[in-house]
Every structure is written in structure tokens, then in C-alpha cells.
Amino acid sequence: MASSVTVTDPVFSRLRTYNWAMGALHAAQAVLVLVLAFSDAAVNAMLPVFVRTNGYSELLLSALVITAPMVGAVSGSVVPREGANHYLLRISALLTLTAGGGAAVLFALIGLGSAWQGAVIAGVAITAYGVTIAADIPTMTAAMRSVDDDLRASLVAVVQPALMGIQAVGALMAGAIALMLPASVTMALSLVPPVGYSAWVLMRTKRS
């Protein structure tokens, strides 16, 4: 004859609540990773739209497209790679907060001046955005240290193509937003999540 047991232990109830809370926390962290990846894709996706809607030449588009990777490569060659994990995370957060915040403000100001002023501001904004690319290096260094040697290669093999796919979705979402807002405003808004998250990281991590 089958029987059932009802668990009334309050410790078990608290443990179940804890498991639900941790599951929600991990889900929120996954969503945050997706949002940050979307933000990175949005700026790159909106560059051609910005250039064409403002009547700029294809030469300016080419210059803007190559500026961010070049600045990121140069900046990435000088950012720290050694030190405690919290130190590296603070470096990444500081770069994103200052450079990304400056780029967001400049993108928002593009439409306030003349066409040539907008082109100059866009160049400076893209240069600032390029610095944020270098912020990935200290973050990735700290993250890879936390992964076991046996799992590191498998993790990168899964994460890298996933991020590429996420960026495609981010570009599509940015295009949808740009149907309602100017491309420069869309780029400015796309930088708000990483800038806000960087400010939170700086407040939550201790100084070395």
C-alpha cells in the first residue's frame, strides 16, 4: 500500500527557498551577460545606419568602422594583465565607465550640431568606444583563472560561438530600436547597460 510523507521541517523549507533564490540569481546573471553582449553589437550595427541616414560619405564609414578595433588593439596592448582578480575587474570596470560613458554622451550630442560637427563628434565617440574593447582583456584574464585547466578549452569553445550568435541578435534588436529613434541615440542607449554595470562593479569590489 502506497504512503506519502509530508515534510514540515522548517530547515527544508528554507533550503528550498534558497535554491529558488539562487536559481533566480543565476538566471538574472545570464540575462545580464546577454544584455552586455547585445550592447556591444548594437554600436557596430548602427554605424552604417548612422552614416547613411546623415548623408556622410562611404569613406567616413570605412574610417569609423576601423577606428574602434584599432583603438581597442592599441589600448589592449597596454592594459594590465597581472594582479589579483578584483584588481583586474576594477580596471575593466573603470575603462568601461569612463570611456563608455563618454562615448554615450557624445553619441547623444551628435544631432545637436551641424553635419561636419556630427562627423567629428562621431569620430571621437567611436575612439572612446574603442577603449572599452580593451576592457575585455583584464576581465577575460580574471575569468579564465577561475576555470579549471581541464574545462577551460571546452568553456571557450562553447562561449565564443555563443557570443557571436548573441551579437547577431543584438544587431537585429538595435535595428528595431533605430526604427523609432535616431541611430546615434540608439548607440548611446546601448552603452547604458555596460556603463551602469561597471559602476556597480566599482562599488562592489574592494580597492587593492
Side-chain angles (χ1 to χ4, degrees), residues 29 32-33 36 84-98 135 138-140 142 192-208:
Q29 290 174 334
L32 178 61
V33 171
L36 295 177
N85 286 350
H86 70 271
Y87 166 74
L88 294 176
L89 290 176
R90 286 185 64 86
I91 291 294
S92 294
L94 185 61
L95 285 174
T96 303
L97 179 63
T98 55
T139 300
M140 186 61 68
V192 171
V195 170
Y197 180 69
S198 298
W200 181 82
V201 169
L202 288 173
M203 290 187 293
R204 294 286 296 177
T205 56
K206 63 180 181 179
R207 297 180 179 180
S208 57

Side-chain angles (χ1 to χ4, degrees), residues 25-82:
L25 177 61
H26 291 318
Q29 290 174 334
V31 171
L32 178 61
V33 171
L34 292 176
V35 170
L36 295 177
F38 290 160
S39 300
D40 181 61
V43 175
N44 293 319
M46 286 297 99
L47 271 179
V49 180
F50 164 74
V51 171
R52 291 190 172 92
T53 55
N54 287 277
Y56 296 127
S57 67
E58 298 296 328
L59 180 60
L60 177 62
L61 173 60
S62 301
L64 292 177
V65 167
I66 67 174
T67 295
M70 289 179 60
V71 173
V74 174
S75 303
S77 65
V78 297
V79 294
R81 296 174 177 80
E82 302 293 335

